[in-house]
Amino acid sequence: AFILVLLSFLIQQKDSQQTISELNQNANSALSRAEQLQDNNRQLLEANQALQTQVEQLQADQNETKRLYQELEETYASLLEQSAEHAQQVKAYELLLTAERALDEENTEAFLSAMKSLKPLAENLDAKGKALYQELLPFVTEAQENTGERNP
């Protein structure tokens, strides 16, 4: 009976050692897995921080792009306005030239038509253009009187 108790004790001790060994392996495995999860967590935190930095940079870039776009819109509007003014100035000079030619050719109708069209655009002329326009104004009255005499 003593041998059976001793044998039973040895078998239980061996089973206990196996169980302890398995528990140690499980604990080591769990510890290893915990360390791996901590490393993954650390990597994710670093990646998150990098992405947050990138988002902030992209937002700053977007704000800068919006600012530049607004500046371009303002420049474009200014250029359109200048273009319109330039077009009116060109039209005024074309009418002034037409009026001069018509006066030289003694074409009263063309002269009066050009001067009539030029009147609202005369403010777009520069100093020389305005001076020439002022020189032509007396001829308008004269041309109107002449056409009035011809057309009863």
Side-chain angles (χ1 to χ4, degrees):
F2 178 72
I3 292 181
L4 284 177
V5 170
L6 183 61
L7 190 59
S8 173
F9 175 74
L10 290 176
I11 292 174
Q12 281 182 345
Q13 189 176 6
K14 185 176 178 183
D15 284 344
S16 293
Q17 284 178 347
Q18 279 183 335
T19 303
I20 290 173
S21 176
E22 287 175 7
L23 288 174
N24 281 337
Q25 285 177 347
N26 288 341
N28 287 339
S29 176
L31 188 59
S32 174
R33 180 71 180 141
E35 289 174 356
Q36 188 179 28
L37 288 173
Q38 284 179 341
D39 288 343
N40 288 346
N41 190 25
R42 203 174 2 255
Q43 289 173 352
L44 289 173
L45 287 173
E46 290 171 0
N48 185 29
Q49 183 61 38
L51 289 173
Q52 285 178 345
T53 302
Q54 189 177 8
V55 165
E56 290 170 2
Q57 181 61 43
L58 289 172
Q59 286 175 338
D61 291 349
Q62 181 185 25
N63 291 339
E64 179 66 13
T65 301
K66 283 181 182 178
R67 185 188 65 76
L68 291 173
Y69 180 75
Q70 188 174 18
E71 283 180 18
L72 285 175
E73 280 184 328
E74 291 170 3
T75 302
Y76 178 70
S78 174
L79 288 173
L80 281 179
E81 185 179 317
Q82 289 174 2
S83 176
E85 290 172 5
H86 181 70
Q88 287 182 343
Q89 188 177 29
V90 167
K91 181 67 176 171
Y93 276 104
E94 287 174 351
L95 290 169
L96 188 61
L97 181 61
T98 301
E100 279 187 300
R101 285 186 182 154
L103 187 62
D104 290 342
E105 295 171 359
E106 297 181 8
N107 185 346
T108 307
E109 289 178 28
F111 174 73
L112 288 174
S113 175
M115 290 300 286
K116 182 179 178 184
S117 299
L118 179 58
K119 186 176 182 178
L121 298 174
E123 65 191 36
N124 295 310
L125 297 170
D126 65 4
K128 288 182 182 179
K130 287 180 181 176
L132 183 56
Y133 175 70
Q134 293 298 326
E135 289 175 18
L136 294 177
L137 281 177
F139 294 107
V140 171
T141 308
E142 184 180 312
Q144 287 174 338
E145 290 173 0
N146 289 342
T147 57
E149 294 174 3
R150 290 185 191 161
N151 297 326

